Structure formats: C-alpha cells, structure tokens
Amino acid sequence: MKRHIIIHPDPRLKKECAPVTDLSDSLRQLADDMLETMYAAPGIGLAAPQVGELTRLIVLDCIKDKDDTPRPLIMFNPQVISSSEETNVYEEGCLSIPDQYAEVTRPSEVEVAWIDREGNAQKEAFDGLWATCVQHEIDHLDGKLFIDYLKPLKRQMITRKKVKLKRQRARA
Ligand code: K1U
Ligand code: ZN
C-alpha cells in the first residue's frame, strides 16, 4: 500500500526516531509500503518519519537507469560506523520538500551497519550517490533535513515556500 508523504514543515520530521527492538510483520509491511511509496514518487530513498512513523527504518534504491537491475535495500536501525575524510558535493532533493534542491557536502564514502528484513545484521561500504542517499536518509531518523545544512536565510526561504504550498493544498 502506498503511503502519504509528509511535507515540511511538520513536527514529525524534526523528531528523533526510536530504534527497532522487535522485527514484527507490521514493520516488514511498513518497509514494503515505503519501497512502493518511494518507487511511485519517484525517489531513490525514503525514511519512516516521512510517512509519519517515528521508527528507525529507511529504504533506498539508487539504481536510476530503468535498464539496470533494481537494488531495493531495507535498513532497520542503520548506523554509519565509519566515514571518509574525503567529501563530495551533491545537489540533494527531498520528497518532503518538493521542487527544492541544494548542494550539500558529506563524506564521500561511509560504512553502514543495519538489520535487514529477515533480521540479519548487515554491513556494507557505500560511495557515490548511495553514500549521499544513505546519509540523507539516516539524518531523517535524527530529525535532520538537508536544508539544515544551508545558511539560515536560504533555509527560511525554502520553508516559507513550503508553508505556502501546504496552505494551497489544504484549500484545494
Ligand atoms: O529522502 C527523500 O526524501 C528521498 C530523496 C533522497 C535523496 C535524493 C538526492 C540526494 C540525497 C537523497 C529523493 O529521492 S528526491 C528525488 C530524487 O532524487 C530522484 C527522483 C527520481 C529519479 C532520480 C532521483
Ligand atoms: Zn529526504
């Protein structure tokens, strides 16, 4: 089932999410719903708070080319365990902040540990877009948005635009 994506500003996008302690069928269903929602958007990642669930769960698939095999990843309790000194700048977007893009600097490589859909511990090193995306999604679990890396004035401009958008959508 496709879920509704929450638009910034919303207090649920600013909260720290709770770790998963018991991997239940309802959490597996939430992960599957999030993948469906992400592909439909379309997007390359999605975090549980973006669909209103304050739990440490992200999904991602950074394979953009339709001719390549998809690689959907479901990560419960994802954690960056090491980061490169080297950084990378990428023009990021966010499904919770539609039509707004800005350059963000992050470590270019990260090693991430997580629990997969079957409850197994996983660990993998990511680079390129995968590294950018997994860090963006883990930030969501700590109530942090990509606009929080921007100068206050630029952040305020984007937030004002999204307040207007939400008012328009509420009236429609
Ligand atoms: O977290 C999110 O809101 C998803 C976001 C992930 C992300 C994008 C760019 C850099 C870092 C993290 C998105 O998926 S925005 C949409 C997007 O980037 C995209 C959409 C269609 C095709 C390719 C990319
Ligand atoms: Zn986002």
Side-chain angles (χ1 to χ4, degrees):
M1 179 188 77
K2 226 172 76 178
R3 308 251 182 156
H4 169 73
I5 297 177
I6 291 171
I7 303 300
H8 165 76
D10 186 297
R12 289 168 289 182
L13 295 172
K14 299 307 295 170
K15 296 250 161 68
E16 180 157 345
C17 296
V20 171
T21 49
D22 184 22
L23 195 44
S24 60
D25 282 347
S26 67
L27 279 171
R28 286 191 187 92
Q29 185 61 55
L30 172 62
D32 294 343
D33 288 353
M34 284 170 55
L35 275 175
E36 186 181 338
T37 308
M38 178 194 82
Y39 284 125
I44 53 172
L46 195 67
Q50 293 180 276
V51 294
E53 300 290 339
L54 300 183
T55 191
R56 298 190 83 81
L57 163 63
I58 64 170
V59 299
L60 59 159
D61 185 349
C62 297
I63 303 289
K64 282 190 188 171
D65 195 328
K66 284 197 177 93
D67 295 332
D68 290 341
T69 311
R71 191 185 179 216
L73 287 181
I74 291 171
M75 299 183 174
F76 293 99
N77 297 340
Q79 264 186 305
V80 174
I81 50 178
S82 68
S83 314
S84 61
E85 292 282 330
E86 193 196 330
T87 58
N88 183 38
V89 181
Y90 192 87
E91 188 167 63
E92 298 192 15
C94 181
L95 297 173
S96 294
I97 315 175
D99 305 320
Q100 301 298 319
Y101 304 89
E103 286 189 343
V104 177
T105 304
R106 299 182 187 271
S108 53
E109 289 180 33
V110 285
E111 194 176 6
V112 179
W114 73 94
I115 305 295
D116 70 15
R117 199 181 182 282
E118 281 68 50
N120 301 313
Q122 301 286 350
K123 197 162 62 169
E124 188 173 327
F126 295 96
D127 61 9
L129 182 56
W130 287 90
T132 298
C133 187
V134 75
Q135 292 175 82
H136 174 117
E137 300 310 331
I138 293 173
D139 271 355
H140 272 299
L141 304 183
D142 295 319
K144 191 162 184 174
L145 301 172
F146 82 91
I147 56 170
D148 294 326
Y149 292 95
L150 309 181
K151 294 201 174 91
L153 198 61
K154 171 107 182 157
R155 186 165 61 241
Q156 279 159 23
M157 272 172 51
I158 292 175
T159 299
R160 282 193 194 119
K161 281 186 191 163
K162 294 307 112 182
V163 168
K164 269 190 193 167
L165 172 77
K166 287 179 79 172
R167 270 198 214 119
Q168 284 164 358
R169 284 188 181 178
R171 272 193 240 115

